[in-house]
Amino acid sequence: MEHPDCLFCKILNKEIPANIIYEDDFVIAFDDIYPKAPIHKLIIPKKHIATLNELSPKEETLVGHMVYVAAQLAKKFEINESGYRTLLNCNQDGGQMVFHIHLHLLGGRSLLWPPG
Ligand code: 5GP
Ligand code: ZN
């Protein structure tokens, strides 16, 4: 299941520390180490999936669960009313740096649109 060279698998295995704010059977969520907004959390599946291109049909519910967890965390960190952004980057043009899919949850300031 896990990938030996994957940074986020190492966070999952507690080989690398992270401030984990949520965990269930399918996902964990933790603070982004270089936050791009006052609230910047990452929600990752426990299953190693390198990019969105590797998603299989049976993982549709898993990605839906990641979005649901992000919405619950937005409430917990009180950015649900002011607003927030969730996003999944894919490969080079999408700005993906870590090849284990992760949903960004960003909020606490007005975010620019469109992105650069
Ligand atoms: P990407 O660019 O792949 O969509 O997002 C990767 C995110 O992971 C970035 O926002 C980056 O700041 C974050 N990140 C990179 N290395 C670490 C780390 O070691 N720990 C944590 N908590 N976040 C990391
Ligand atoms: Zn991984």
Side-chain angles (χ1 to χ4, degrees):
M1 200 98 140
E2 79 239 20
H3 192 287
D5 300 323
C6 172
L7 178 67
F8 287 172
C9 283
K10 290 191 172 117
I11 287 178
L12 275 165
N13 294 334
K14 315 277 192 313
E15 290 168 44
I16 290 177
N19 185 34
I20 296 172
I21 51 163
Y22 177 83
E23 176 163 13
D24 64 27
D25 288 348
F26 307 104
V27 302
I28 65 167
F30 51 89
D31 288 326
D32 195 294
I33 203 168
Y34 305 116
K36 283 49 168 202
I39 304 287
H40 189 176
K41 315 292 182 192
L42 301 172
I43 298 100
I44 72 167
K46 289 191 167 176
K47 180 177 184 185
H48 178 88
I49 303 166
T51 81
L52 287 186
N53 294 330
E54 278 73 47
L55 271 186
S56 67
K58 65 178 185 299
E59 285 144 6
E60 284 182 38
T61 51
L62 174 62
V63 176
H65 182 63
M66 290 164 67
V67 175
Y68 180 74
V69 168
Q72 301 315 302
L73 291 174
K75 281 186 196 146
K76 177 175 173 166
F77 290 97
E78 299 180 330
I79 54 171
N80 55 314
E81 294 296 340
S82 53
Y84 57 90
R85 185 169 297 159
T86 57
L87 68 114
L88 291 151
N89 293 326
C90 184
N91 277 341
Q92 191 174 345
D93 281 1
Q96 185 176 7
M97 304 289 282
V98 179
F99 289 87
H100 178 133
I101 62 167
H102 45 282
L103 184 64
H104 294 259
L105 169 65
L106 294 148
R109 68 172 172 84
S110 182
L111 300 162
L112 298 176
W113 190 263

